Amino acid sequence: MQIRKRITITYVTLSVLSTLLLCVVVFVLFRQNNRYYFVKRLQDRAKIVASIHYQEDPEKADYYRRLKSEGLEELIDENDFVLKVNDGKTFEYNTELQLPHEFYSEVMQQKSGLIVEGSRYFYGQIFEERGQKYIVIITAKDRRGHMSSLYIVRILFFGGMFFILLAYFLGRFLAKRVINPVARITKEVKRISASNLHNRLPDSENFDEISDLTHTFNDMLDRLETSFEIQANFINNASHELKTPITTIIAEAEIMLSKTRNPEQYQEALQNIHSQASRLGSLTESLLKLTQTGYDGQKQVQDVARIDELLMDVKQDLDKLYPENKVILRLDDLPEDDDLLLISCNKPLLELALSNIISNGMKYSNNETVFVSLAADKQYISVSIADIGIGIPAEDIPHLYEPFFRGKEASRFNGYGLGLPLAMKIIRMHKGDIKVQSQPEKGTIVTISFQH
């Protein structure tokens, strides 16, 4: 079901329920108001009938009769009865009154009582004359109240039907007003494809949820466009980097096979082929490791390791590969609680990430001193890698994590531009964060933090 129809149906349903509730409340209050005033009129008549009954002065009795007949509004089918109460709880019963026993019990106990049978009311009240108790009962039909109730029911019914019909059209109007901006966004989104990701949704002038949705979608398009550009650059650069050594190997082989060569020429060609093959192997291994982390940077972690021991393992591996390295581990400020150094990780991948970043510090500082510091508390584990190398220009920092990206200064050193993107994906896989601070010709500080 379309949202527009759901909004209309919901609005009409709520309107029907609220209208029905209002009609019931109005009808009940109207009935209670009619009943209250009709009973008051019966009470006035009961007082007058009681006054006439025990009045010995004929003139006053005649006055009360004229007051009852002329001063009070006439009731339909009105009648009155006076019943003498005997000793105890008995009274003289009138056969014209076919009333239940509960009515008389209520009058005797509470001094007054009321019973309604259809539109006819029976009101009873106790009064006393010269030590003798009497029950005066006034009965009449509230035909006017009954007709008024029917009239108000008709008004509420037709008024309610009209309001429900009005609510239907108002609901459709409301749904249209609410959905139109979303429909406009949907129409604009359908026009956007991979070939025109530069298009954006027009900004809304209102600062509401639709405006937030527009900004969110435009932000998503910005990220998608950037992602597509990075992917395109990755494919172009990867094709170029892979094609160069393959072309060189094929060319060397064709040259050597074109005619017979002396041993020195074969040896030189094999050395070139070995160099290009090694380059191709390193590049392929880096690409495979980058793919191993997954496109979304998510991979199931398997190990629980101490971060200080992991750093020492990385240092030992670097010492084997680069015996003259000047990497210094600073592990003097470790917490007393060893549990704060534990981290859930994929140990080989995390070692690879740390090794890549430390190796970059060694490479881009011409093998000068690289300081690796470790700190940990109850919230974070933090690893800081600082060098005094060539630094990174400010305009290059936003592109550091793009595969194959290499700055102008970095292009003077051997590499493929895959080490830092790979390290970033591995760190993100472990729910970590990486920050780079650098100044050209002064050095770089890379801070890696993991949350407990």
Side-chain angles (χ1 to χ4, degrees), residues 64-102:
Y64 284 121
R65 290 189 184 92
R66 283 187 286 107
L67 175 64
K68 179 174 178 293
S69 61
E70 299 175 6
L72 298 179
E73 184 180 357
E74 182 181 1
L75 297 180
I76 299 173
D77 200 6
E78 179 184 356
N79 205 348
D80 58 78
F81 303 88
V82 178
L83 308 179
K84 181 180 179 181
V85 179
N86 301 321
D87 294 338
K89 297 183 179 180
T90 63
F91 56 89
E92 295 180 354
Y93 188 73
N94 191 320
T95 57
E96 294 183 22
L97 295 171
Q98 301 295 326
L99 298 175
H101 177 71
E102 291 77 13

Side-chain angles (χ1 to χ4, degrees), residues 334-342 375-382 450-452:
L334 298 182
E336 295 181 0
D337 187 0
D338 293 340
D339 291 341
L340 297 178
L341 298 172
L342 296 178
D377 55 27
K378 293 182 179 180
Q379 292 184 331
Y380 296 98
I381 295 175
S382 179
F450 302 96
Q451 190 171 4
H452 282 296

Side-chain angles (χ1 to χ4, degrees), residues 4 14 23 36 41 98-99 111 130 210-211 214 227 245 254 290 301 325 331 337 354 366 374 376 387 408:
R4 180 177 300 178
L14 293 176
C23 290
Y36 172 79
R41 292 160 69 185
Q98 301 295 326
L99 298 175
K111 307 300 182 182
R130 299 178 182 179
I210 299 299
S211 177
T214 301
S227 205
E254 288 179 347
L290 186 63
V301 295
N325 75 80
L331 305 176
D337 187 0
L354 294 171
N366 290 313
L374 174 63
D387 65 63
K408 294 181 180 179

Side-chain angles (χ1 to χ4, degrees), residues 83-345:
L83 308 179
K84 181 180 179 181
V85 179
N86 301 321
D87 294 338
K89 297 183 179 180
T90 63
F91 56 89
E92 295 180 354
Y93 188 73
N94 191 320
T95 57
E96 294 183 22
L97 295 171
Q98 301 295 326
L99 298 175
H101 177 71
E102 291 77 13
F103 171 74
Y104 296 107
S105 299
E106 180 183 358
V107 174
M108 296 292 290
Q109 292 176 4
Q110 301 182 11
K111 307 300 182 182
S112 65
L114 176 70
I115 188 171
V116 181
E117 295 180 351
S119 62
R120 177 171 287 280
Y121 285 67
F122 294 88
Y123 175 76
Q125 182 176 327
I126 295 287
F127 75 92
E128 189 172 344
E129 175 188 347
R130 299 178 182 179
Q132 176 63 50
K133 291 183 178 180
Y134 295 90
I135 300 176
V136 59
I137 298 177
I138 306 297
T139 177
K141 287 185 177 181
D142 185 17
R143 187 175 299 173
R144 179 178 297 177
H146 181 68
M147 296 303 297
S148 298
S149 297
L150 294 177
Y151 182 70
I152 196 68
V153 166
R154 293 192 186 97
I155 292 177
L156 293 176
F157 176 77
F158 290 107
M161 293 300 294
F162 172 76
F163 183 77
I164 291 171
L165 185 62
L166 180 63
Y168 171 74
F169 290 104
L170 290 177
R172 293 192 61 180
F173 175 75
L174 174 65
K176 185 177 180 181
R177 287 290 301 271
V178 172
I179 296 302
N180 271 353
V182 179
R184 176 180 56 82
I185 292 176
T186 303
K187 184 178 179 181
E188 293 294 331
V189 168
K190 288 181 179 179
R191 297 179 181 177
I192 299 174
S193 62
S195 60
N196 59 350
L197 279 175
H198 58 278
N199 289 345
R200 295 294 180 268
L201 299 178
D203 290 332
S204 175
E205 297 180 357
N206 300 322
F207 296 97
D208 53 13
E209 289 80 359
I210 299 299
S211 177
D212 291 340
L213 177 62
T214 301
H215 289 306
T216 301
F217 195 85
N218 284 337
D219 291 341
M220 184 189 70
L221 288 176
D222 291 336
R223 294 192 297 271
L224 281 176
E225 186 177 16
T226 302
S227 205
F228 269 73
E229 291 177 355
I230 292 174
Q231 184 181 19
N233 291 334
F234 176 86
I235 294 173
N236 293 333
N237 291 325
S239 300
H240 174 74
E241 294 291 342
L242 290 171
K243 185 178 180 180
T244 299
I246 293 174
T247 302
T248 303
I249 291 172
I250 294 174
E252 286 286 345
E254 288 179 347
I255 291 173
M256 289 300 103
L257 292 173
S258 63
K259 64 179 181 178
T260 303
R261 307 285 180 176
N262 57 48
E264 290 79 9
Q265 290 176 322
Y266 282 120
Q267 186 176 5
E268 182 181 357
L270 288 174
Q271 287 177 348
N272 289 335
I273 291 174
H274 178 269
S275 175
Q276 295 298 326
S278 298
R279 179 184 177 188
L280 182 61
S282 298
L283 180 59
T284 303
E285 182 181 4
S286 297
L287 290 172
L288 288 175
K289 288 178 179 178
L290 186 63
T291 306
Q292 185 182 7
T293 62
Y295 290 108
D296 58 355
Q298 300 295 320
K299 189 175 180 65
Q300 184 68 33
V301 295
Q302 300 173 348
D303 308 316
V304 176
R306 284 180 53 137
I307 191 69
D308 55 339
E309 294 178 355
L310 195 145
L311 286 172
M312 287 188 285
D313 291 342
V314 172
K315 178 67 167 66
Q316 290 177 2
D317 292 338
L318 291 174
D319 289 341
K320 294 177 183 178
L321 294 173
Y322 311 102
E324 298 180 356
N325 75 80
K326 297 179 182 180
V327 176
I328 298 176
L329 291 181
R330 291 179 174 177
L331 305 176
D332 302 329
D333 196 21
L334 298 182
E336 295 181 0
D337 187 0
D338 293 340
D339 291 341
L340 297 178
L341 298 172
L342 296 178
I343 181 173
S344 298
C345 64

Side-chain angles (χ1 to χ4, degrees), residues 289 314 347-357 422-423 426:
K289 288 178 179 178
V314 172
K347 190 175 179 181
L349 283 180
L350 190 55
E351 286 181 352
L352 175 62
L354 294 171
S355 178
N356 281 350
I357 295 174
L422 175 59
I426 294 173

